[in-house]
Amino acid sequence: MRHIPEEPEAQGAPPRVPRQRSTGAVPTSADVARRAGVSRATVSYVLNNATAVRISEPTRRRVREAARELGYVPHAAARSLRAGQSRMVLMPAPGAPVGALYHRFFHDLQWALSRLDYTVVQYGSAGLTGDEAALAWAELRPVAVVAPGIHELGPAGVAVLKRSGARAVITVGPCPVEGAHALLTDHGEVGRCAAEHLLARGRRRLGVVMPEQPALAVYARARLAGVRAAAARVGAEVTELPLAYEETAAARLAADWPERGVDGVFAYSDEYAMLLMAALQDRGIRVPADTAVVGVDDLMLGRLLRPRLTTVRMDLPSAQELAELVDRTVRHPGTSPTVRDLLGVTLVARESS
Amino acid sequence: MRHIPEEPEAQGAPPRVPRQRSTGAVPTSADVARRAGVSRATVSYVLNNATAVRISEPTRRRVREAARELGYVPHAAARSLRAGQSRMVLMPAPGAPVGALYHRFFHDLQWALSRLDYTVVQYGSAGLTGDEAALAWAELRPVAVVAPGIHELGPAGVAVLKRSGARAVITVGPCPVEGAHALLTDHGEVGRCAAEHLLARGRRRLGVVMPEQPALAVYARARLAGVRAAAARVGAEVTELPLAYEETAAARLAADWPERGVDGVFAYSDEYAMLLMAALQDRGIRVPADTAVVGVDDLMLGRLLRPRLTTVRMDLPSAQELAELVDRTVRHPGTSPTVRDLLGVTLVARESS
């Protein structure tokens, strides 16, 4: 795969260099400069497409050829040390499997940021949480951090990141974090939307599935609060239904169903709804005749259930908008943190309610 | 969140520095040295826990306090430039939503590598593929690259990475890549395992779902080859069933079902199996009486279907083993690339077959 350099023809040609470089040595811009017979500054101007400096086309060509022949790759870290600022946007890797919704959002955000000349890396903070994780991120000197979820980052972590050169720290989650821009995703709205639908269908004894996975607790509580608020307005009952994501747990819950007298369930997500519906149907409990079921996420699997699952679709913040907020904040880091509510919700009514 | 420095008490105390540093300036080890009244080398020895150098406990304490007070965070890039080698392991971010299986694998790998003192970042190569992506990765100067899947990396990309200082390049996927260590995941085994099960149950007209998502084509073809090989041994028929991941496409396929005369389906994945089963059942085709169905992945949803879904469980390479391979290769980069087959398969028989 190595290019074999040809003999230079032009006058003022570069000094000859050995054809085979010693293995293991990484070509630097100094190597490119030597081979092309120019200064390192010229190499830098040419390879960064700097237009402010007049450099002849033959010289530009010679530099590009030398870079290609040597297999020279710019060093992001060295460049960021010289510039005093990186172009790296760091996102913590999600702590749980991501659904198609989040994946799409991340892909779009990456794409939008790459068009603004940022490099996006996801940092796997295995075993680190909160401000310890922020310290580890800070070592990479990202110019911006976009942190979805709430477990990763507190005010101390935000301060560490800013001291380490991060010009933009943006959280995406249910609560703002001191010192950071916050894009709020108010999950109370998700519960409210589902509950209002069940109430409109005449259900008055609502169950709310509370997943036992700790990572979901903060969302579950916010959604429960939304259900409670909607139920309180018409005097409906609300029962919490703790549930592990396991068949046996769902079977136990279904066995107690008649004595609970729940006639409408907000099932936290489409996946929990599927788990619960299978258990209810195994016990002969009819959906929706005996109990209506509503999920969240509008996953494909909800359309494949029988009855088809009613669900709440969340409209995440636009990746383009978020990328522009990152860029604006990097360029004007002095602006004080903003808090914006960006989660929209839509009820998708199907057969299960 | 900034620590307010206290008045130094000890003799030989550091020179006073302003309480409030100018905003935006990132504290460096030189700042720490100045505040602690020691040399930069001493700061480096203390903060890197170098034991070869004798430094008194009070001095160590002074350096650590100065670092904490200033909010000093080591700079991974600067450190790697000094050391001539980073501790960064780069993994391309998956190009499609990841399932629980991959997520678990990634989490375990991160964890195993962090215990070996590596930092794992996932690189979002939005819009870049193959060797272009490798060039972008190379700019971060990772010491190792672990690339799952096959679309990202070819021999030229491997060469670029190695020239840029990557000491270990490891692919995980169905085919080896020249110049890289390869952990093979032979998806032919997946198809073979499913087909042998269907054949053992007396099915002789096998259908194979071929997902129309381009990212899945390489796996689908490998699995199909496995089905064909198993079927050929007993003279069974094999029919390819192209299918988009959409309800309407599945309904069309189910409408043609009787004329196809398929009595056993290898459905590519549990998710495609769920899509197909819903469509078959809507047309009154009985599973497994008329057609047996086998998925892949052993997802929770397969256990929630009625009939419960038979599936092929894949046992991915052990994260611990992979982390050790990374570390071994980084320490001995001269070893020639190895190719190892690491995918185990197990049939999980349930009610759908």
Side-chain angles (χ1 to χ4, degrees), chain A residues 201-230:
Chain A
R201 303 263 159 136
R203 311 292 163 143
R204 286 296 178 273
R205 295 189 307 280
L206 305 187
V208 177
V209 169
M210 301 295 286
E212 291 187 347
Q213 291 162 264
L216 303 180
V218 64
Y219 303 105
R221 278 196 304 270
R223 293 175 185 186
L224 172 65
V227 172
R228 284 199 189 284

Side-chain angles (χ1 to χ4, degrees), chain A residues 194-196 198-199 203-208 227 230-231 236-241 261-266:
Chain A
E196 284 178 355
L198 289 167
L199 296 167
R203 311 292 163 143
R204 286 296 178 273
R205 295 189 307 280
L206 305 187
V208 177
V227 172
E237 274 173 45
V238 176
T239 309
E240 294 180 40
L241 305 171
V262 163
D263 62 9
V265 181
F266 171 64

Side-chain angles (χ1 to χ4, degrees), chain B residues 69-347:
Chain B
E69 284 164 7
L70 288 170
Y72 170 72
V73 178
H75 190 321
R79 204 162 49 191
S80 77
L81 283 175
R82 279 197 304 273
Q85 186 187 308
S86 77
R87 296 295 289 176
M88 182 192 291
V89 178
L90 184 145
M91 292 181 71
V98 301
L101 202 69
Y102 179 87
H103 184 269
R104 186 55 191 265
F105 173 68
F106 176 67
H107 180 271
D108 292 349
L109 180 61
Q110 241 172 255
W111 183 245
L113 283 168
S114 72
R115 276 183 307 187
L116 294 167
D117 197 30
Y118 293 95
T119 293
V120 183
V121 304
Q122 276 192 303
Y123 192 96
S125 321
L128 299 178
T129 51
D131 299 329
E132 258 195 329
L135 263 171
W137 307 342
E139 292 201 13
L140 293 178
R141 296 291 191 273
V143 72
V145 173
V146 178
I150 62 121
H151 291 286
E152 301 287 358
L153 198 55
V158 172
V160 163
L161 288 166
K162 289 189 163 180
R163 274 200 308 266
S164 304
R167 294 159 72 94
V169 180
I170 298 172
T171 62
V172 183
C175 356
V177 177
E178 195 192 316
H181 290 273
L183 300 182
L184 290 191
T185 52
D186 176 2
H187 284 252
E189 280 299 288
V190 177
R192 183 199 54 74
C193 173
E196 284 179 354
H197 169 77
L198 289 167
L199 296 167
R201 303 265 159 133
R203 310 295 162 140
R204 285 295 177 275
R205 296 189 305 280
L206 305 186
V208 176
V209 169
M210 301 295 285
E212 291 187 347
Q213 291 162 263
L216 303 181
V218 64
Y219 303 105
R221 277 196 304 270
R223 292 175 185 186
L224 172 65
V227 172
R228 284 199 189 284
R233 281 195 287 275
V234 296
E237 276 173 41
V238 175
T239 310
E240 293 181 41
L241 305 170
L243 180 58
Y245 193 59
E246 286 161 15
E247 275 188 281
T248 49
R252 268 197 308 275
L253 182 56
D256 294 345
W257 208 254
E259 69 202 50
R260 290 175 187 275
V262 163
D263 63 8
V265 180
F266 171 64
Y268 181 77
S269 70
D270 288 355
E271 284 169 324
Y272 274 91
M274 183 180 183
L275 173 67
L276 181 61
M277 260 174 65
L280 292 177
Q281 290 174 329
D282 284 351
R283 300 287 301 190
I285 295 155
R286 294 165 306 160
V287 177
D290 300 325
T291 299
V293 178
V294 179
V296 178
D297 286 341
D298 193 14
L299 297 185
M300 177 67 151
L301 66 81
R303 270 169 281 170
L304 302 179
L305 296 178
R306 300 292 179 268
R308 288 179 174 79
L309 184 64
T310 294
T311 190
V312 178
R313 193 176 61 224
M314 295 187 288
D315 305 312
L316 287 184
S318 133
Q320 184 59 37
E321 252 184 286
L322 179 47
E324 282 163 16
L325 175 61
V326 168
D327 188 49
R328 214 162 43 240
T329 315
V330 165
R331 285 185 289 112
H332 311 287
T335 42
S336 51
T338 53
V339 174
R340 286 164 62 196
D341 197 329
L342 278 184
L343 189 71
V345 295
T346 314
L347 191 103

Side-chain angles (χ1 to χ4, degrees), chain A residues 173-307:
Chain A
C175 355
V177 177
E178 196 192 316
H181 290 272
L183 300 182
L184 291 191
T185 53
D186 176 4
H187 284 252
E189 281 298 288
V190 177
R192 183 198 54 73
C193 173
E196 284 178 355
H197 169 78
L198 289 167
L199 296 167
R201 303 263 159 136
R203 311 292 163 143
R204 286 296 178 273
R205 295 189 307 280
L206 305 187
V208 177
V209 169
M210 301 295 286
E212 291 187 347
Q213 291 162 264
L216 303 180
V218 64
Y219 303 105
R221 278 196 304 270
R223 293 175 185 186
L224 172 65
V227 172
R228 284 199 189 284
R233 281 197 285 276
V234 296
E237 274 173 45
V238 176
T239 309
E240 294 180 40
L241 305 171
L243 180 59
Y245 194 60
E246 287 161 14
E247 275 187 280
T248 50
R252 270 197 308 274
L253 182 56
D256 295 344
W257 207 255
E259 70 202 49
R260 290 175 188 273
V262 163
D263 62 9
V265 181
F266 171 64
Y268 182 77
S269 71
D270 288 355
E271 285 170 322
Y272 274 90
M274 183 180 182
L275 173 67
L276 181 61
M277 261 174 64
L280 292 176
Q281 290 173 331
D282 284 351
R283 301 286 302 191
I285 295 156
R286 295 165 303 161
V287 176
D290 300 326
T291 298
V293 179
V294 179
V296 178
D297 286 340
D298 194 15
L299 298 185
M300 177 68 148
L301 65 82
R303 270 169 281 170
L304 302 178
L305 297 179
R306 299 294 178 264

Side-chain angles (χ1 to χ4, degrees), chain A residues 27-69:
Chain A
T28 65
S29 66
D31 297 328
V32 177
R34 207 173 306 123
R35 173 179 283 258
V38 301
S39 70
R40 279 185 71 179
T42 301
V43 170
S44 170
Y45 292 139
V46 171
L47 297 183
N48 290 301
N49 293 312
T51 50
V53 186
R54 274 187 78 93
I55 298 171
S56 73
E57 197 41 51
T59 302
R60 287 184 185 274
R61 205 160 42 227
R62 219 158 67 224
V63 169
R64 287 200 202 94
E65 271 166 22
R68 203 185 53 239
E69 285 163 7

